[in-house]
Amino acid sequence: MPSAHDSAVNVRRRFAGGRAAGAVPTVLVLLAVVAVLYLVRDAAYRATTAGAVALPSVFGGFFEVVGELGIVVLALVFACAAWRARSRGLEHVTVALVGATATVAAYVLSEVVKGVVREARPCRAMAVHTVAACPAANDWSWPSNHAVIAAGLATAVVALSPLWWRLVVPLALAVGVSRVLVGAHYWHDVVAGMSLGVLVVWFGTWALAPAAHRLLERSVDVGPARWRSLLGEDGRQGSPPRSSTQVTTPPPPTDRQSGR
């Protein structure tokens, strides 16, 4: 009978290749990048917005569309990957559900941090001309919610279908960069937001997927047929729990087999 540890490793290997190694170095590098960008935030912001304003107006409209529509596209890609997970087994369904939950948690956490830090938008703190209209005065800047959501969705997609990183990673980066180009954020707002989205979704999914998988297994074993169908487990009706081990007893030998 497989142990709980074996079950956890099996589920995690569906998207993380086993252990989530290198967590501490990754966090330290991201914190260093955010710190450096914070030190040069005014100069970097002025240079970026000045360059964006100098471009033809069609580019400004394009930057705004990328910032908003990019998140919609990422959400649709994740929805497709989650639906596809139904045909790949309950482990993939688990990663999809936990990834979606972790993305929402990352957004909520970013809102809490915004309310605590209360950093004013750069377009209000400095006298600059920007591509887009400046958000309201009580709409705080750090971290960028757009960056959090985009990075969280991209991470959830990669957890489900690693090959899709070629689509979702550049798109998430484009969403983050567009928020600085239109003048809504500093660079450190975006980097912090993307770091928050990736860390919460990746490590949250890695930590919670095994427990969620066990809960889903139990719900499939005792749940109605419609629930099993929704999870792609139509063939599980009347089946014993996955953790049980079935032993088949061989039939007794016949007279001919025993040499009589």
Side-chain angles (χ1 to χ4, degrees), residues 23-167:
V24 174
T26 300
V27 172
L28 293 177
V29 170
L30 292 175
L31 289 176
V33 172
V34 172
V36 170
L37 290 175
Y38 180 80
L39 293 175
V40 298
R41 61 176 186 167
D42 289 353
Y45 176 79
R46 289 181 183 277
T48 303
T49 54
V53 170
L55 294 173
S57 59
V58 65
F59 286 96
F62 175 74
F63 297 149
E64 292 188 76
V65 169
V66 169
E68 302 299 334
L69 189 59
I71 291 181
V72 176
V73 174
L74 286 168
L76 290 175
V77 172
F78 174 75
C80 291
W83 186 257
R84 180 171 173 262
R86 297 171 63 254
S87 63
R88 302 173 65 192
L90 197 60
E91 294 88 354
H92 290 84
V93 174
T94 301
V95 173
L97 292 177
V98 179
T101 304
T103 301
V104 174
Y107 167 73
V108 173
L109 180 59
S110 71
E111 284 288 348
V112 173
V113 173
K114 274 178 176 286
V116 173
V117 177
R118 299 171 68 90
E119 181 182 54
R121 296 275 182 170
C123 48
R124 293 194 174 276
M126 292 181 281
V128 293
H129 180 57
T130 58
V131 169
C134 193
N138 60 348
D139 189 352
W140 308 113
S141 186
W142 192 90
S144 166
N145 281 342
H146 283 72
V148 171
I149 297 172
L153 287 171
T155 304
V157 171
V158 173
L160 279 171
S161 302
L163 292 179
W164 288 15
W165 74 267
R166 296 177 179 85
L167 169 64

